[in-house]
Amino acid sequence: MSDVRVLVVDDEPDLRLGLRMLLRGAGFDTVEAASGAEALQAFDRAPADIVLTDLQMPGMSGADLLVEIQRRAPGTTVVILTGFGTIQTAVWCMQRGASHFLTKPFDNDELLRLFSRLGRQVLASREQRQSSDVSGFVAEDPRSLRVVVMIRRVAPKPVAVLIVGETGVGK
């Protein structure tokens, strides 16, 4: 999980430290921020794969941070952590892209199971994106260039493709 970057955002230093130690102990590359504004600066310097943020913070709330993270990097996994969870707030956050809504106090083992699952999803998604990259193809012939264009269109889709040609043409 060392390839999965987690940004922990909470205005309580002890909770931030505890979460950082817990997640680093599980192998995650963990960075922390004390506020929403600080989190955005850290995110702009080095985007996180997963953002774990407190909901209630002075200044920018976790809900505002969620919206801004989704605007900057749609699809980033955001987990909301709060001691003041209501169903309305949870629904609002989920509708705006939060992947999970956890309440304090939380169970460390449950949090680690969740982050292990999220980390595996991040790695699988990254691997899928890399395997669909066709930038390594080299072609000069117009017919081969058309094949490369077709590959780029089809690569992100979950379909089987059969490429045929004469022996020795580099299928």
Side-chain angles (χ1 to χ4, degrees), residues 28 35-36 53-54 57 60 71 100 105 112 119 131 156:
F28 289 93
S35 68
T53 182
D54 188 17
M57 295 184 293
M60 178 183 280
R71 187 186 71 74
H100 291 81
L112 287 175
S131 69

Side-chain angles (χ1 to χ4, degrees), residues 51-107:
V51 177
L52 172 61
T53 182
D54 188 17
L55 183 63
Q56 301 283 338
M57 295 184 293
M60 178 183 280
S61 72
D64 294 335
L65 178 61
L66 162 69
V67 170
E68 188 57 30
I69 292 288
Q70 290 300 318
R71 187 186 71 74
R72 292 177 187 209
T76 299
T77 302
V78 179
V79 178
I80 303 288
L81 182 63
T82 185
F84 308 99
T86 66
I87 292 174
Q88 274 184 314
T89 306
V91 168
W92 190 92
C93 290
M94 300 299 273
Q95 288 174 336
R96 279 150 187 84
S99 79
H100 291 81
F101 191 88
L102 304 174
T103 56
K104 297 176 189 174
F106 55 88
D107 178 78

